[in-house]
Amino acid sequence: MLNKLNYLQRCYSSISPDFHCLASKQKHTLPDLPFDYGALEPHISAEIMQLHHSKHHATYVNNLNITEEKYAEALAKGDVTAQVSLQPALRFNGGGHINHSIFWTNLSPNGGGEPAVGVQGSGWGWLGYSKNSGRLQLAAASNQDPLQGTTGLIPLLGIDVWEHAYYLQYKNVRGDYLKAIWNVINWENVGERLKAAMK
């Protein structure tokens, strides 16, 4: 899983007309969850997990594959205008796929902890690692912007604060969702990601 995520992050780390990685890759697929949809209850309901994974994340994957096909066609034709016009969709859907793929591994029925994250609007709260400074850093990313591609930080822990992640259970009280999600954070996975980032 980490190798696939590293590949995706390299592809989307700088959205530009030069997408050599598109020509020789397979279609993206929705990753399996490492637990059942109901495994995070009562903190995150099975209904939210099912919709979030099988509908929202699946949509990012499907749209990413469609956009990459269009981009490859534009690249083959040398149509720079079409390539540029497709970049926002690549960033949004590619970021959505990267972010959610990390998010699922950050959750566990056996998780728990206390840190806090704040994001205004829709987006993600992140704990990242800066290779330059050798330090951990908190960051917010709007929409589906991938952390590494927009800040250079290596993503360790991402919290999805789009309404689709919590609204069915927590309504408009994001703070309650953020309190609850710390009960299911997979800190072991975060530690493994940090070790890999420090190499």
Side-chain angles (χ1 to χ4, degrees), residues 17 51 85 119-120 130 157 193:
L51 288 170
S85 71
V119 175
Q120 293 183 349
S130 169
L157 169 65
R193 292 184 66 78

Side-chain angles (χ1 to χ4, degrees), residues 33-41 43-57 103-104 107 164-166 168-169 177 181 184:
L33 290 182
F35 44 79
D36 293 333
Y37 287 137
L40 303 180
E41 290 187 334
H43 309 292
I44 302 176
S45 73
E47 183 181 17
I48 287 175
M49 289 302 298
Q50 189 272 328
L51 288 170
H52 198 170
H53 179 257
S54 70
K55 302 294 183 197
H56 287 280
H57 190 174
F103 182 60
W104 307 134
L107 302 175
H164 66 245
Y166 62 88
L168 288 175
Q169 186 172 359
Y177 159 72
I181 200 163
V184 292

Side-chain angles (χ1 to χ4, degrees), residues 7 12 24 27 33 38 66 73 91 105 120 130 192 194 196:
Y7 172 81
Y12 297 99
S24 63
K27 288 191 178 280
L33 290 182
I66 290 167
E73 291 171 12
R91 180 176 181 153
T105 66
Q120 293 183 349
S130 169
E192 289 173 10
L194 177 59

Side-chain angles (χ1 to χ4, degrees), residues 21 51 67 81 149 152 176:
C21 55
L51 288 170
T67 304
T81 300
D176 287 352

Side-chain angles (χ1 to χ4, degrees), residues 120-188:
Q120 293 183 349
S122 295
W124 292 77
W126 287 101
L127 173 64
Y129 175 73
S130 169
K131 279 205 175 251
N132 292 337
S133 69
R135 294 182 176 201
L136 298 176
Q137 186 174 331
L138 293 176
S142 60
N143 299 315
Q144 291 297 348
D145 289 353
L147 184 68
Q148 192 165 3
T150 57
T151 67
L153 296 173
I154 298 169
L156 305 177
L157 169 65
I159 304 296
D160 187 346
V161 294
W162 281 74
E163 285 184 341
H164 66 245
Y166 62 88
Y167 197 82
L168 288 175
Q169 186 172 359
Y170 294 99
K171 308 302 181 225
N172 63 335
V173 188
R174 181 188 289 177
D176 287 352
Y177 159 72
L178 288 174
K179 287 176 192 169
I181 200 163
W182 298 114
N183 293 303
V184 292
I185 294 297
N186 184 349
W187 292 107
E188 184 177 321

